[in-house]
Amino acid sequence: MAKEQKQVRELQEGNYVIIDDAACKIDAYSTAKPGKHGSAKARVEARGVFDEKKRSFSQPVDAKVWVPIVNRKQGQVVAKESENVVQVMDLDTYETITMELPDEISVEPDDDIEYLEWEGKRKVLE
């Protein structure tokens, strides 16, 4: 499982974090000052990398959270199986992968694409 632990205070907008066992990209990060009844707290709002669902959590800034190690890879479209399913060859390992394209992206064979990969899940970037 490709992940590492970090303290909540080390997170920033644009970083990745695991919430509800899903890799999420942080959209908003805010902290509250320590008060009479405890330490400083951080509120993190994030969006799922692979499912686009909004998730959030609030924890003390010294709490530890899991951060996924998401790989950004390059690939070349080998063939189009349908309008939104393509076969892609990874340009590092030459492995051929079948991937689903988002609706807003259209590609042709021999086009180079960039995609994210984490724990067998893949997402084509624009």
Side-chain angles (χ1 to χ4, degrees), residues 10 28 36 38 42 49 57 62 64 79-80 82 85 89-91 105 109 118 124:
E10 298 174 55
K36 182 177 173 184
V49 173
F57 69 86
D62 57 351
K64 293 201 173 201
K80 251 179 128 169
S82 68
V85 177
M89 180 178 67
D90 186 306
L91 292 179
I105 296 177
W118 180 70
V124 177

Side-chain angles (χ1 to χ4, degrees), residues 76-80 107-111:
Q76 183 178 30
V77 176
V78 177
K80 251 179 128 169
V107 294
E108 297 297 325
D110 295 335
D111 283 354

Side-chain angles (χ1 to χ4, degrees), residues 7-18:
Q7 285 190 335
V8 173
R9 74 176 55 165
E10 298 174 55
L11 300 176
Q12 297 177 345
E13 289 181 19
N15 287 14
Y16 296 110
V17 66
I18 296 176

Side-chain angles (χ1 to χ4, degrees), residues 29-35 38-43 58-61:
Y29 176 88
S30 61
T31 56
K33 291 181 181 177
S39 63
K41 303 256 188 311
R43 177 166 177 76
S58 181
Q59 289 191 346
V61 293

